[in-house]
Each structure stands twice: as structure tokens, then as C-alpha cells.
Amino acid sequence: MRKISKIEPKLPVIQARKKVAAYARVSRDTERLMHSVSAQVSYYSALIQKNPEWEYAGVYADMGISGTDTSKRGEFLRLLADCEEGKIDIILTKSISRFARNTVDLLETVRHLKNLGIEVQFEKENIHSLSEDGELMLTLLASFAQEESRSISENVKWGVRKRFQSGEIGAANKHILGYCYDDELRKYVIIPEEAESVCWMFQMYIDGVSLREIAGSMNRAGIRTTLGNDFQEASVRQLIFNEVYAGDIRRQKCYMANPITKTKVKNCGELPQYYMADCHEAIIDRETYAKVQAEMERRAGLVNPTYPFTGKIKCGICGQNFTRRKGTTKGKNTLAGSAGRKRKSG
């Protein structure tokens, strides 16, 4: 006897579509690069939407922002936030350098996304982060991208120093109290009403008024910084010490120690400085400026006075110099070396 069995129909399993987004970035805010970003947005929008297995999740684009620091890229951070909320399964990007030029940030981000089950596809290098050799290739190529960024930074610095040497000045600050920078004339031009405030400030300093008192006088007179803030002791010090008011400019007072972290440090002799005299009309004449310099030295001497034994007596434990300290004991003034009260270190 025949045995008949019923074969139930099987419904086709519809695979859930992957939610796909793209990320684009340019480091400089120029018309040509803005066009490049627009082209990338259009390209990825069309690419994602024409794939029947993908669901369009948007294109995120940062413009005019360096790739060495992810914390300053608003769209990149929004992309990561959407990933954590489960809105994205795959991220498309043009290349490793567009995603990040900092090797550490790149690997940390890709690993974090990998833990969330999200894949990053780098089009130029043809790397998928969830593949077996994906992280190895990313590590190698990201290192090249980081070194490329460092090399570009060094080339830019070299060009800037060459312009310093040739006397091409330019200006980092387009507006400081008393001056605005004229791009056509390529020099600072005096703002008369602000110049009066500068002269008053310098005269107070020559007359022995403290920096804190100068700041208070400026604020009470209704004078504000170029940013519209109240004057503080530090802001007055910065202006009083600025040679720009004598018509000169000193270049490379600071420099970028690390092109990846963008850390700026004061130039204490590590790199050459360039002093350019008579670059523009002075607000403070040379005689007044010389008096200010002399007053600076006089006040510095009061803060750190020298004595016959200064620098000659050293601690036998830490090797630091003994310092003269003034204190009070039962209403009487006493003098004591650092070892008599507390050693500087050690």
C-alpha cells in the first residue's frame, strides 16, 4: 500500500534589511572641498538606496575639521550615538584617513563598533572591520595615515617658518585691543578709540599700578576686551607684555608640540623666534615701551629677589636650592631657609 505524506508549503524567509549609513569628512573649509563633501553625500545616498538589501540610515558629514581628534567632530559623535541606539548596522566611508588619522582613536572606535555588531567598510582600502584580517590591516594602514598627517604638519610648519624668515607677516589675531588687521595692506591698523585705552593702561603700569588694579580701572571705565569680557590680571599682563604696541611683531612664541593631539606649548628656546621691527604704526613710542620693560624687570626683582647666598646652599637630600622665606612667630618676623621649615622636594 502506498504511503502518502503531506508536504507543507514553506513560506520564503524575508531577510531583514541592514540599516546602512555613510560618513564623510574634509579637514579644510574651502569651496572645492565643500563640493567634494556634497559629491560624497550624493554618491553614498544613491549607493545605499539602490541596494535592495540595505535600508538608508543617512549620511553624516564633518566639514572643516581635522581627523586627528574625534572629540571635536560633531557628526562623527552623532554617528556613534546612533550606532549605540541600534539605528545602524553598517557604516560606509571613503578611506581610513577620512574616518580617523589617529591610530588609537581609529582602533578604539572600530573595536567599540565591533562589540556592538556594527561593521565599518573602508571603500578605498577594501577593508571590512568584521572580517578576520580586518583589524590587522586597519592597524597597519592607520599608522600610515597618522604618519602622513604628521608629515603634512611638518611641511606646513616648514612653509610658515620660511615666510617668517622672508618677512611675510600675516596675523593670527585679526583684532587685538587698539588694532585691527587689514588683509589688503597686510598690516595692523590703529583703532583710535581703543588706542587711547592702550595708552592709559601702559601709563598706569609705568606709574606703578598693579596689574590687578589696572584691570579693575579698565572695567570700571566700561572698557572691555575684544571678546567683550571683563579684564583680568592675566589679560592685562598679556597686553602689557605685547611688543605689537611698539610697532613690532615676534613670531613663533608658541608652537605645536604634537600634530596629533594639537598641543600648543610656549617656545622657551626649542625653536627659533623671529622678531620683525617697525611692521606697523606704533601706539606706544619706543621710550615709553623701554620704561615698561624696565618696570617689568623691577617688579620681577621684587618677586624673586637675589641675595649673596642665593643659589649657593643646596639640600643634601634632593639637591634643590635653599630659599629665603619670611614668616611670623608670636608676632615677630623671622627669616628661615627652606630646610628649616619644609624642603622643596625630597
Side-chain angles (χ1 to χ4, degrees):
M1 184 177 178
R2 295 179 181 178
K3 186 176 181 180
I4 301 174
S5 59
K6 183 180 179 181
I7 301 175
E8 298 291 342
K10 292 183 179 180
L11 296 176
V13 178
I14 300 176
Q15 297 289 336
R17 294 195 300 168
K18 296 284 188 180
K19 298 184 285 291
V20 182
Y23 177 74
R25 179 189 64 81
V26 292
S27 57
R28 286 182 295 172
D29 191 2
T30 64
E31 184 177 350
R32 181 178 63 83
L33 292 177
M34 293 303 103
H35 177 73
S36 172
V37 169
S38 299
Q40 288 184 59
V41 171
S42 300
Y43 166 75
Y44 283 117
S45 297
L47 178 67
I48 296 170
Q49 293 180 65
K50 74 179 182 182
N51 191 325
E53 297 180 358
W54 288 353
E55 178 183 338
Y56 181 69
V59 178
Y60 302 73
D62 282 310
M63 292 172 280
I65 300 176
S66 171
T68 56
D69 187 357
T70 57
S71 65
K72 296 180 180 178
R73 290 192 272 161
E75 283 293 281
F76 186 80
L77 296 176
R78 188 169 72 87
L79 171 67
L80 296 182
D82 288 347
C83 288
E84 292 175 354
E85 292 178 9
K87 297 179 181 180
I88 299 170
D89 297 314
I90 299 174
I91 299 172
L92 307 180
T93 189
K94 184 178 179 181
S95 66
I96 291 173
S97 62
R98 296 301 92 197
F99 200 70
R101 282 188 179 272
N102 185 325
T103 306
V104 174
D105 285 346
L106 173 69
L107 294 178
E108 286 182 351
T109 302
V110 169
R111 286 169 183 168
H112 176 61
L113 293 173
K114 187 175 182 180
N115 291 334
L116 297 174
I118 300 170
E119 181 178 61
V120 184
Q121 296 183 7
F122 300 92
E123 188 176 29
K124 180 181 177 181
E125 294 84 3
N126 193 26
I127 295 176
H128 295 190
S129 62
L130 295 185
S131 64
E132 293 182 1
D133 59 348
E135 184 166 329
L136 173 60
M137 294 301 297
L138 278 176
T139 303
L140 294 174
L141 295 175
S143 298
F144 294 146
Q146 179 171 309
E147 286 307 308
E148 181 186 9
S149 178
R150 190 186 302 277
S151 176
I152 292 172
S153 175
E154 291 301 322
N155 290 338
V156 170
K157 289 178 184 177
W158 182 85
V160 169
R161 288 166 192 155
K162 282 294 181 182
R163 288 196 293 274
F164 288 162
Q165 291 176 13
S166 63
E168 294 181 36
I169 300 170
N173 298 322
K174 298 295 183 181
H175 182 197
I176 62 174
L177 188 69
Y179 285 112
C180 68
Y181 188 79
D182 190 308
D183 287 311
E184 291 185 3
L185 298 176
R186 300 182 68 182
K187 67 178 182 179
Y188 281 114
V189 177
I190 292 177
I191 304 174
E193 56 273 20
E194 292 185 5
E196 293 179 5
S197 302
V198 172
C199 292
W200 183 41
M201 180 175 59
F202 271 75
Q203 189 58 53
M204 283 191 286
Y205 188 81
I206 292 172
D207 292 341
V209 181
S210 69
L211 295 173
R212 183 175 299 178
E213 291 172 341
I214 293 175
S217 297
M218 300 282 279
N219 293 332
R220 286 190 294 272
I223 303 169
R224 296 293 180 266
T225 67
T226 54
L227 297 177
N229 301 324
D230 287 345
F231 278 93
Q232 305 293 333
E233 183 177 346
S235 55
V236 173
R237 180 191 299 276
Q238 187 176 18
L239 294 176
I240 289 288
F241 288 8
N242 200 332
E243 68 287 335
V244 73
Y245 293 116
D248 305 338
I249 292 180
R250 184 190 298 272
R251 286 297 183 225
Q252 204 155 257
K253 296 178 183 178
C254 300
Y255 66 96
M256 193 175 293
N258 190 325
I260 304 302
T261 61
K262 307 295 185 185
T263 305
K264 268 191 174 182
V265 298
K266 184 178 180 181
N267 184 2
C268 296
E270 295 85 355
L271 295 174
Q273 294 187 1
Y274 303 89
Y275 196 94
M276 291 164 277
D278 301 321
C279 299
H280 50 267
E281 185 180 355
I283 293 177
I284 304 300
D285 59 72
R286 296 286 179 186
E287 182 181 353
T288 302
Y289 190 70
K291 289 180 181 178
V292 169
Q293 299 297 312
E295 179 64 12
M296 290 178 192
E297 294 180 5
R298 187 189 72 82
R299 296 190 190 190
L302 294 175
V303 175
N304 298 303
T306 57
Y307 301 94
F309 290 101
T310 298
K312 295 181 179 178
I313 305 176
K314 298 184 181 294
C315 174
I317 298 174
C318 66
Q320 295 292 325
N321 293 329
F322 275 60
T323 59
R324 182 179 184 272
R325 292 187 179 179
K326 186 175 182 180
T328 58
T329 302
K330 294 182 180 180
K332 296 181 180 180
N333 291 331
T334 60
L335 298 177
S338 59
R341 297 178 61 190
K342 182 181 178 181
R343 284 192 170 88
K344 204 169 184 180
S345 61

